[in-house]
């Protein structure tokens, strides 16, 4: 009986090790540019961007899914997301494409260190 338990435990541990899984991990994020027109009008907002990360860690298929105010910060948010680089996601020890990722990008005045001029 003891051997059966040991074999089952070893099988479970081997299955866990062989199925290493992790989501993409960001390694660099380019500077976010605050749109000049929005800054001049003292406007703030956010953009939610949907995107995928390839097995080589590049962002593809980026698109705006929500924005407030609509249209004002969209291009700046997309430009920033396009500049991001990731360590690709891993499933069963293999690098994979990961789709359906969402990021909310905030545009707030007074956070000048966070924005490229």
């Amino acid at each position: 009986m003891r051997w059966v338990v040991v074999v089952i435990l070893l099988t479970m541990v081997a299955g866990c090790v062989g199925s290493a899984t992790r989501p993409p991990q960001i390694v660099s994020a380019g500077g976010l540019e605050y749109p000049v027109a929005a800054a001049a009008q003292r406007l703030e907002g956010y953009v939610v961007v949907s995107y995928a990360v390839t097995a080589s860690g590049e962002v593809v298929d980026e698109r705006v899914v929500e924005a407030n105010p609509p249209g004002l910060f969209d291009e700046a948010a997309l430009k920033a997301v396009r500049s991001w680089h990731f360590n690709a996601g891993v499933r069963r020890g293999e690098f994979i494409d990961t789709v359906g990722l969402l990021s909310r990008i905030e545009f707030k005045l007074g956070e000048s260190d966070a924005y490229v001029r």
Side-chain angles (χ1 to χ4, degrees):
M1 179 67 175
R2 179 181 272 181
W3 285 105
V4 171
V5 171
V6 170
V7 170
I8 290 172
L9 289 174
L10 287 175
T11 303
M12 289 172 59
V13 169
C16 291
V17 170
S19 64
T21 300
R22 73 165 166 74
Q25 298 171 328
I26 195 155
V27 291
S28 70
L32 183 60
E33 296 180 25
Y34 209 101
V36 175
Q41 296 176 49
R42 310 222 19 95
L43 297 173
E44 298 182 333
Y46 69 89
V47 179
V48 178
V49 178
S50 171
Y51 56 96
V53 173
T54 67
S56 62
E58 295 184 44
V59 172
V60 295
D61 301 329
E62 63 283 343
R63 66 183 176 86
V64 172
V65 295
E66 182 182 344
N68 185 25
L72 186 61
F73 298 104
D74 295 15
E75 284 306 313
L78 289 171
K79 182 178 178 183
V81 171
R82 286 182 194 117
S83 72
W84 295 352
H85 293 281
F86 289 80
N87 285 331
V90 176
R91 183 180 308 132
R92 287 183 232 119
E94 300 287 328
F95 294 119
I96 59 167
D97 293 341
T98 305
V99 299
L101 298 170
L102 292 173
S103 290
R104 179 178 167 130
I105 297 141
E106 300 278 340
F107 291 84
K108 294 187 182 260
L109 294 167
E111 296 180 2
S112 59
D113 292 343
Y115 301 104
V116 174
R117 297 195 189 267

